Amino acid sequence: MGNGDYDSYSSGMNVESVHRVAIPPPQPFFESLKYSMKETLFPDDPLRKFKNQPASKKLVLALQHFLPILEWGPKYTLPFLKSDLIAGITIASLAIPQGISYAKLANLPPILGLYSSFIPPLIYAMMGSSRDLAVGTVAVGSLLMASMLGREVSPTENPTLFLHLAFTATFFAGLLQLSLGLFRLGFIVDFLSHAAIVGFMGGAATVVCLQQLKSILGLEKFTHKADVVSVMNSVFSQTHEWRWESAVLGCCFIFFLLVTRYFSKRQPKFFWVSAMAPLTSVILGSILVYLTHAEKHGVQVIGNLKKGLNPPSATDLVFVSPYMGTAIKTGLITGIIALAEGIAVGRSFAMFKNYHIDGNKEMIAIGTMNIFGSLTSCYLTTGPFSRSAVNYNAGCKTAASNIVMSIAVMLTLLFLTPLFHYTPLVVLSAIIVSAMLGLIDYQAAIHLWKIDKFDFLVCFSAYIGVVFGSVEIGLVLAVAISVLRVLLFIARPRTFVLGNIPNSSAYRNVEHYPNAHHVPGILILEIDAPIYFANASYLRERITRWINEEEEKIKGAGSTSLQYVIVDMTAVANIDTSGISMLEEFKKSVDRTGLQLVLVNPGSEVTKKLNKSKFLDEIGHKWVYVTVEEAVGVCSSFMLHTQKANPMKDESEGLNNNI
């Protein structure tokens, strides 16, 4: 179509009714870079509150940013103290037995579970932004640490080195978490999708439950591997070593814990029943063992727990090869998992209470408490769901409930540790099993299957990887498949054929709206993603296939020949040089077939780049419109004008002459 033909036609129609796509004003490179960096690293604009403030106020705001306790502390009231006191005592009753249990799961001295429930919660109370997160050790993190460190150092043959590596891994986990928060790189954690976390947690919970068969059956020798085949082989190869006394005791306590949890779920006002159940189990189990001398009949007990507060462990950190690499690897993986769990739990309860938590602040708080924890004989801590749920149901108002819990644990460390001497290990295993069964979220897996089969594949792969491989394999599989899906979204974006909704000016996907009809002589396509080097070739091939399919339909139906290809670029947020080259090649291709390419509503960034590359000049500014409706109106009117001007000519010949 020549410019003269278009101009002569345009002079006869109301061109003022057609809106043109404006070329954005040029923006300096460094301004554009600054804007992009701000949107990437500071999407929440944390510096907004510092604007137009005096220096003294800025200092106060900065301190409150890193120490939220300075913000809510001055507003603290007596009713808040009452609520936090009840919540703190309640979660302490859960934290003490859970801490001891999870330390055993990590192949660490049981006392470390109490140490880790003393110092880290105090630090989080000062630095955390969540009102509901209850800090402590977690089963998955404990399992990861035992599994990864256990491959290099035996916790039974060299327990001191294993302990020091656990402190070192915790230090590097905290360093990673703190760095992600300070440099505002929290989006990295988002690569662990919800589906991946559901599968990973479920697989880890399954493995943890199976490993508790060691204590439940009273076995002394057990595999250090975490996969289900090795665990079951270890269990059934020692049937002659099974202790029925221990098994009966374990099953009874598991039943008791599950019943109390079920009751508390059915009657939320009695939340304290399930919260107190683990400590009740420890007390009952200890009394039972003491009275019956069950430790002499195959029931293993904790033994002596060292009395006193956390000893310093800064000098125990291992910064020499070959163990430092193992500590770093373990710290990075456990740090990411702990961070993902803590932030997810915090956001969940913040949503229930309608307040906002800052993900980067949480990373700084969790990272700082793990760094300080590694220096004070603590291992990896975060915000476990079970403890936080109890804290929430107990009516906590602020993070001060963590302080109350720390004080309760401190008193336990100072005066009550001898009382745990007769606590049977089978009770600790029962506590772990009952907690882990809640992490196997089969309902979420069913929901994923119904909604998105690919998400279910991610979930299932993570579960199978953990259960039949190892925790690391499951994690790698989950992340790899999640990243693969992101890459598929980028490399294989969706394209749609649009049609007109009857009695409206709207154009929608004809697969979504079967009643939308095609416009004769015009193919309308929509690209639903940015155009990058990764998808440019695919888009060229896919659009060409759309054109070929449309021409075959027209040929079979004997309808008006295809003359225009309209590409709706509303959803194309950006384009790179490979994408522009693709459009240039595609333009030449449609020119050779006698078709006219028309663009609709390219975004600001896309328009800017198309203009700088001279592509808009090549296609002609007159073939770029703001809406699909306007583009279709102009193309339809011009086809009608062409047919009237050339009534005796063949359509294809007339079209070729115009072009």
Side-chain angles (χ1 to χ4, degrees):
M1 178 180 294
N3 288 340
D5 293 334
Y6 181 90
D7 293 338
S8 62
Y9 163 66
S10 297
S11 62
M13 65 176 292
N14 184 13
V15 294
E16 292 181 358
S17 63
V18 178
H19 300 90
R20 297 299 179 195
V21 173
I23 307 298
Q27 189 176 21
F29 170 74
F30 286 105
E31 286 293 323
S32 178
L33 180 64
K34 178 183 175 183
Y35 176 79
S36 299
M37 292 294 291
K38 180 181 177 182
E39 288 302 306
T40 302
L41 302 177
F42 301 97
D44 55 342
D45 193 13
L47 302 179
R48 181 180 63 254
K49 58 186 178 182
F50 291 92
K51 293 178 181 177
N52 303 320
Q53 297 288 350
S56 58
K57 181 64 174 176
K58 288 181 179 179
L59 177 61
V60 172
L61 291 173
L63 290 173
Q64 289 178 346
H65 180 81
F66 290 104
L67 296 170
I69 192 172
L70 298 178
E71 184 176 356
W72 57 262
K75 306 172 188 175
Y76 203 70
T77 62
L78 191 60
F80 280 13
L81 176 60
K82 179 182 176 182
S83 299
D84 289 337
L85 192 63
I86 294 172
I89 294 173
T90 305
I91 58 176
S93 67
L94 177 64
I96 292 169
Q98 265 192 359
I100 296 173
S101 303
Y102 293 161
K104 289 293 292 181
L105 178 62
N107 292 326
L108 295 170
I111 194 67
L112 257 69
L114 298 182
Y115 290 161
S116 301
S117 297
F118 173 44
I119 297 294
L122 289 175
I123 296 172
Y124 183 83
M126 293 186 289
M127 302 186 67
S129 60
S130 173
R131 304 171 195 165
D132 302 280
L133 204 68
V135 171
T137 54
V138 288
V140 175
S142 302
L143 173 66
L144 269 169
M145 194 159 286
S147 173
M148 297 183 71
L149 295 181
R151 289 197 182 94
E152 299 295 327
V153 179
S154 172
T156 53
E157 296 175 5
N158 200 341
T160 302
L161 179 57
F162 187 88
L163 176 64
H164 293 174
L165 285 178
F167 294 152
T168 311
T170 302
F171 174 81
F172 283 113
L175 198 61
L176 170 70
Q177 295 162 341
L178 178 63
S179 300
L180 290 177
L182 289 175
F183 294 105
R184 305 186 69 81
L185 299 175
F187 60 87
I188 293 175
V189 180
D190 294 336
F191 280 100
L192 278 173
S193 65
H194 171 69
I197 291 175
V198 168
F200 176 79
M201 291 293 188
T206 302
V207 170
V208 169
C209 288
L210 291 175
Q211 285 192 333
Q212 300 318 301
L213 291 173
K214 175 187 177 183
S215 297
I216 292 174
L217 297 175
L219 301 176
E220 294 185 2
K221 295 181 180 180
F222 206 73
T223 180
H224 293 297
K225 295 182 179 179
D227 63 284
V228 65
V229 176
S230 299
V231 171
M232 298 311 293
N233 181 58
S234 184
V235 169
F236 288 101
S237 64
Q238 303 181 74
T239 52
H240 58 285
E241 298 288 340
W242 291 6
R243 298 281 186 175
W244 68 267
E245 302 95 334
S246 183
V248 170
L249 197 60
C251 291
C252 289
F253 278 111
I254 290 174
F255 179 76
F256 169 70
L257 291 165
L258 292 178
V259 167
T260 56
R261 188 171 69 183
Y262 177 78
F263 175 75
S264 293
K265 279 187 177 181
R266 295 294 299 269
Q267 302 289 336
K269 63 182 179 180
F270 293 107
F271 66 90
W272 52 270
V273 173
S274 62
M276 297 292 291
L279 186 59
T280 304
S281 299
V282 168
I283 295 171
L284 291 177
S286 300
I287 293 174
L288 186 63
V289 169
Y290 179 77
L291 294 177
T292 62
H293 301 288
E295 75 276 11
K296 297 178 181 178
H297 298 86
V299 177
Q300 301 170 358
V301 296
I302 290 178
N304 293 322
L305 285 182
K306 184 180 178 182
K307 187 187 290 188
L309 301 181
N310 303 34
S313 57
T315 56
D316 295 335
L317 301 184
V318 180
F319 295 124
V320 294
S321 59
Y323 303 113
M324 183 176 173
T326 302
I328 292 175
K329 177 185 173 183
T330 305
L332 295 182
I333 293 178
T334 56
I336 289 290
I337 294 297
L339 204 57
E341 181 176 359
I343 292 177
V345 170
R347 284 176 175 167
S348 298
F349 290 109
M351 180 181 66
F352 293 149
K353 288 189 175 179
N354 196 28
Y355 69 92
H356 173 74
I357 67 169
D358 187 331
N360 289 291
K361 276 186 186 178
E362 289 298 285
M363 293 178 196
I364 293 172
I366 294 174
T368 303
M369 74 181 187
N370 276 315
I371 290 175
F372 275 91
S374 68
L375 304 178
T376 53
S377 299
C378 304
Y379 78 104
L380 187 75
T381 53
T382 185
F385 179 81
S386 58
R387 203 174 299 183
S388 300
V390 170
N391 195 31
Y392 171 82
N393 290 325
C396 68
K397 298 299 182 184
T398 69
S401 59
N402 280 286
I403 299 176
V404 176
M405 177 184 70
S406 293
I407 293 172
V409 173
M410 179 189 72
L411 295 175
T412 302
L413 285 168
L414 290 174
F415 306 110
L416 303 179
T417 50
L419 299 179
F420 293 98
H421 181 279
Y422 289 101
T423 300
L425 296 184
V426 67
V427 171
L428 302 184
S429 294
I431 292 171
I432 292 174
V433 169
S434 66
M436 290 302 96
L437 291 177
L439 290 181
I440 304 175
D441 196 350
Y442 65 91
Q443 291 181 333
I446 294 172
H447 179 73
L448 291 172
W449 172 259
K450 291 180 180 178
I451 303 300
D452 192 324
K453 300 297 189 293
F454 200 105
D455 265 354
F456 177 80
L457 175 63
V458 172
C459 174
F460 187 69
S461 299
Y463 182 85
I464 293 298
V466 173
V467 172
F468 289 97
S470 67
V471 177
E472 302 95 292
I473 290 174
L475 181 62
V476 169
L477 268 176
V479 174
I481 296 176
S482 298
V483 172
L484 176 63
R485 186 175 197 188
V486 173
L487 294 177
L488 285 175
F489 279 139
I490 296 173
R492 294 294 182 266
R494 300 292 301 274
T495 57
F496 311 104
V497 175
L498 304 184
N500 179 237
I501 302 293
N503 303 317
S504 77
S505 60
Y507 290 81
R508 296 292 182 267
N509 181 2
V510 295
E511 293 181 0
H512 189 186
Y513 297 90
N515 63 327
H517 60 74
H518 295 267
V519 181
I522 302 174
L523 174 62
I524 311 169
L525 300 174
E526 178 183 356
I527 300 175
D528 197 31
I531 304 176
Y532 293 126
F533 65 92
N535 60 25
S537 297
Y538 167 78
L539 285 173
R540 182 178 63 249
E541 294 168 2
R542 188 65 186 95
I543 294 173
T544 301
R545 184 150 60 95
W546 280 122
I547 294 173
N548 294 336
E549 290 173 357
E550 185 68 15
E551 288 180 330
E552 289 175 5
K553 288 180 185 177
I554 290 173
K555 185 177 180 181
S559 306
T560 305
S561 62
L562 184 63
Q563 298 183 39
Y564 296 93
V565 178
I566 298 176
V567 179
D568 184 359
M569 302 182 72
T570 302
V572 181
N574 211 330
I575 190 170
D576 66 0
T577 53
S578 297
I580 295 173
S581 297
M582 182 275 287
L583 289 179
E584 291 172 345
E585 292 174 14
F586 181 69
K587 171 68 170 58
K588 293 174 183 177
S589 175
V590 296
D591 283 348
R592 286 193 297 269
T593 58
L595 301 177
Q596 176 61 55
L597 177 64
V598 182
L599 302 183
V600 170
N601 197 30
S604 171
E605 193 68 23
V606 175
T607 304
K608 192 188 306 180
K609 292 181 179 179
L610 293 180
N611 184 57
K612 287 182 178 180
S613 66
K614 305 298 182 184
F615 180 75
L616 292 184
D617 294 334
E618 182 181 339
I619 191 177
H621 290 263
K622 58 183 173 291
W623 295 115
V624 184
Y625 296 94
V626 174
T627 66
V628 174
E629 179 189 7
E630 291 179 348
V632 171
V634 171
C635 294
S636 298
S637 299
F638 190 78
M639 281 193 296
L640 181 62
H641 170 78
T642 303
Q643 290 170 0
K644 288 182 179 179
N646 304 281
M648 304 299 294
K649 289 188 177 183
D650 181 78
E651 273 187 68
S652 61
E653 181 184 347
L655 180 60
N656 289 330
N657 288 338
N658 284 332
I659 293 176

PDB file of all heavy atoms in Angstrom, residues 164-177:
ATOM      1  N   HIS A 164      30.830 -28.323  66.226  1.00  0.00           N
ATOM      2  CA  HIS A 164      31.456 -27.084  65.770  1.00  0.00           C
ATOM      3  C   HIS A 164      31.058 -26.750  64.334  1.00  0.00           C
ATOM      4  O   HIS A 164      30.874 -25.573  63.994  1.00  0.00           O
ATOM      5  CB  HIS A 164      32.981 -27.199  65.886  1.00  0.00           C
ATOM      6  CG  HIS A 164      33.455 -27.289  67.302  1.00  0.00           C
ATOM      7  ND1 HIS A 164      34.779 -27.515  67.637  1.00  0.00           N
ATOM      8  CD2 HIS A 164      32.786 -27.190  68.487  1.00  0.00           C
ATOM      9  CE1 HIS A 164      34.904 -27.542  68.951  1.00  0.00           C
ATOM     10  NE2 HIS A 164      33.706 -27.351  69.495  1.00  0.00           N
ATOM     11  N   LEU A 165      30.904 -27.778  63.500  1.00  0.00           N
ATOM     12  CA  LEU A 165      30.449 -27.536  62.123  1.00  0.00           C
ATOM     13  C   LEU A 165      28.998 -27.044  62.101  1.00  0.00           C
ATOM     14  O   LEU A 165      28.621 -26.239  61.248  1.00  0.00           O
ATOM     15  CB  LEU A 165      30.579 -28.810  61.292  1.00  0.00           C
ATOM     16  CG  LEU A 165      31.993 -29.206  60.865  1.00  0.00           C
ATOM     17  CD1 LEU A 165      31.976 -30.512  60.089  1.00  0.00           C
ATOM     18  CD2 LEU A 165      32.622 -28.105  60.016  1.00  0.00           C
ATOM     19  N   ALA A 166      28.188 -27.527  63.054  1.00  0.00           N
ATOM     20  CA  ALA A 166      26.802 -27.044  63.141  1.00  0.00           C
ATOM     21  C   ALA A 166      26.781 -25.557  63.485  1.00  0.00           C
ATOM     22  O   ALA A 166      25.995 -24.785  62.913  1.00  0.00           O
ATOM     23  CB  ALA A 166      26.040 -27.844  64.197  1.00  0.00           C
ATOM     24  N   PHE A 167      27.636 -25.135  64.417  1.00  0.00           N
ATOM     25  CA  PHE A 167      27.741 -23.704  64.733  1.00  0.00           C
ATOM     26  C   PHE A 167      28.212 -22.906  63.510  1.00  0.00           C
ATOM     27  O   PHE A 167      27.682 -21.825  63.213  1.00  0.00           O
ATOM     28  CB  PHE A 167      28.728 -23.483  65.889  1.00  0.00           C
ATOM     29  CG  PHE A 167      28.293 -24.057  67.204  1.00  0.00           C
ATOM     30  CD1 PHE A 167      29.230 -24.466  68.154  1.00  0.00           C
ATOM     31  CD2 PHE A 167      26.946 -24.201  67.516  1.00  0.00           C
ATOM     32  CE1 PHE A 167      28.834 -24.990  69.368  1.00  0.00           C
ATOM     33  CE2 PHE A 167      26.537 -24.723  68.732  1.00  0.00           C
ATOM     34  CZ  PHE A 167      27.486 -25.126  69.660  1.00  0.00           C
ATOM     35  N   THR A 168      29.193 -23.446  62.797  1.00  0.00           N
ATOM     36  CA  THR A 168      29.743 -22.745  61.624  1.00  0.00           C
ATOM     37  C   THR A 168      28.700 -22.637  60.516  1.00  0.00           C
ATOM     38  O   THR A 168      28.564 -21.591  59.878  1.00  0.00           O
ATOM     39  CB  THR A 168      30.990 -23.480  61.099  1.00  0.00           C
ATOM     40  OG1 THR A 168      31.885 -23.753  62.186  1.00  0.00           O
ATOM     41  CG2 THR A 168      31.709 -22.638  60.066  1.00  0.00           C
ATOM     42  N   ALA A 169      27.965 -23.723  60.280  1.00  0.00           N
ATOM     43  CA  ALA A 169      26.908 -23.696  59.264  1.00  0.00           C
ATOM     44  C   ALA A 169      25.832 -22.675  59.636  1.00  0.00           C
ATOM     45  O   ALA A 169      25.319 -21.948  58.772  1.00  0.00           O
ATOM     46  CB  ALA A 169      26.289 -25.087  59.114  1.00  0.00           C
ATOM     47  N   THR A 170      25.496 -22.606  60.919  1.00  0.00           N
ATOM     48  CA  THR A 170      24.517 -21.608  61.385  1.00  0.00           C
ATOM     49  C   THR A 170      25.041 -20.195  61.157  1.00  0.00           C
ATOM     50  O   THR A 170      24.276 -19.297  60.766  1.00  0.00           O
ATOM     51  CB  THR A 170      24.220 -21.829  62.880  1.00  0.00           C
ATOM     52  OG1 THR A 170      23.724 -23.156  63.066  1.00  0.00           O
ATOM     53  CG2 THR A 170      23.204 -20.826  63.390  1.00  0.00           C
ATOM     54  N   PHE A 171      26.333 -19.994  61.382  1.00  0.00           N
ATOM     55  CA  PHE A 171      26.940 -18.675  61.157  1.00  0.00           C
ATOM     56  C   PHE A 171      26.810 -18.270  59.691  1.00  0.00           C
ATOM     57  O   PHE A 171      26.404 -17.135  59.382  1.00  0.00           O
ATOM     58  CB  PHE A 171      28.415 -18.709  61.569  1.00  0.00           C
ATOM     59  CG  PHE A 171      29.165 -17.441  61.255  1.00  0.00           C
ATOM     60  CD1 PHE A 171      29.074 -16.335  62.085  1.00  0.00           C
ATOM     61  CD2 PHE A 171      29.956 -17.354  60.118  1.00  0.00           C
ATOM     62  CE1 PHE A 171      29.746 -15.160  61.788  1.00  0.00           C
ATOM     63  CE2 PHE A 171      30.641 -16.185  59.813  1.00  0.00           C
ATOM     64  CZ  PHE A 171      30.538 -15.087  60.649  1.00  0.00           C
ATOM     65  N   PHE A 172      27.125 -19.186  58.776  1.00  0.00           N
ATOM     66  CA  PHE A 172      27.048 -18.858  57.352  1.00  0.00           C
ATOM     67  C   PHE A 172      25.598 -18.708  56.890  1.00  0.00           C
ATOM     68  O   PHE A 172      25.307 -17.902  56.001  1.00  0.00           O
ATOM     69  CB  PHE A 172      27.774 -19.915  56.522  1.00  0.00           C
ATOM     70  CG  PHE A 172      29.275 -19.777  56.555  1.00  0.00           C
ATOM     71  CD1 PHE A 172      30.064 -20.742  57.156  1.00  0.00           C
ATOM     72  CD2 PHE A 172      29.891 -18.661  56.002  1.00  0.00           C
ATOM     73  CE1 PHE A 172      31.441 -20.605  57.200  1.00  0.00           C
ATOM     74  CE2 PHE A 172      31.277 -18.516  56.043  1.00  0.00           C
ATOM     75  CZ  PHE A 172      32.050 -19.491  56.639  1.00  0.00           C
ATOM     76  N   ALA A 173      24.698 -19.470  57.497  1.00  0.00           N
ATOM     77  CA  ALA A 173      23.270 -19.294  57.186  1.00  0.00           C
ATOM     78  C   ALA A 173      22.818 -17.889  57.576  1.00  0.00           C
ATOM     79  O   ALA A 173      22.129 -17.198  56.802  1.00  0.00           O
ATOM     80  CB  ALA A 173      22.442 -20.346  57.916  1.00  0.00           C
ATOM     81  N   GLY A 174      23.203 -17.455  58.771  1.00  0.00           N
ATOM     82  CA  GLY A 174      22.854 -16.104  59.216  1.00  0.00           C
ATOM     83  C   GLY A 174      23.492 -15.039  58.356  1.00  0.00           C
ATOM     84  O   GLY A 174      22.870 -14.009  58.054  1.00  0.00           O
ATOM     85  N   LEU A 175      24.734 -15.271  57.935  1.00  0.00           N
ATOM     86  CA  LEU A 175      25.432 -14.302  57.082  1.00  0.00           C
ATOM     87  C   LEU A 175      24.717 -14.145  55.748  1.00  0.00           C
ATOM     88  O   LEU A 175      24.544 -13.028  55.242  1.00  0.00           O
ATOM     89  CB  LEU A 175      26.874 -14.763  56.865  1.00  0.00           C
ATOM     90  CG  LEU A 175      27.885 -13.715  56.382  1.00  0.00           C
ATOM     91  CD1 LEU A 175      28.018 -12.572  57.376  1.00  0.00           C
ATOM     92  CD2 LEU A 175      29.243 -14.375  56.141  1.00  0.00           C
ATOM     93  N   LEU A 176      24.284 -15.266  55.170  1.00  0.00           N
ATOM     94  CA  LEU A 176      23.527 -15.220  53.919  1.00  0.00           C
ATOM     95  C   LEU A 176      22.213 -14.465  54.108  1.00  0.00           C
ATOM     96  O   LEU A 176      21.857 -13.588  53.302  1.00  0.00           O
ATOM     97  CB  LEU A 176      23.253 -16.636  53.431  1.00  0.00           C
ATOM     98  CG  LEU A 176      22.267 -16.751  52.256  1.00  0.00           C
ATOM     99  CD1 LEU A 176      22.887 -16.205  50.978  1.00  0.00           C
ATOM    100  CD2 LEU A 176      21.817 -18.191  52.050  1.00  0.00           C
ATOM    101  N   GLN A 177      21.483 -14.806  55.158  1.00  0.00           N
ATOM    102  CA  GLN A 177      20.185 -14.176  55.401  1.00  0.00           C
ATOM    103  C   GLN A 177      20.332 -12.677  55.633  1.00  0.00           C
ATOM    104  O   GLN A 177      19.552 -11.876  55.094  1.00  0.00           O
ATOM    105  CB  GLN A 177      19.514 -14.842  56.605  1.00  0.00           C
ATOM    106  CG  GLN A 177      19.150 -16.296  56.370  1.00  0.00           C
ATOM    107  CD  GLN A 177      18.893 -17.062  57.657  1.00  0.00           C
ATOM    108  OE1 GLN A 177      19.315 -16.644  58.744  1.00  0.00           O
ATOM    109  NE2 GLN A 177      18.221 -18.201  57.564  1.00  0.00           N
TER     110      GLN A 177
END
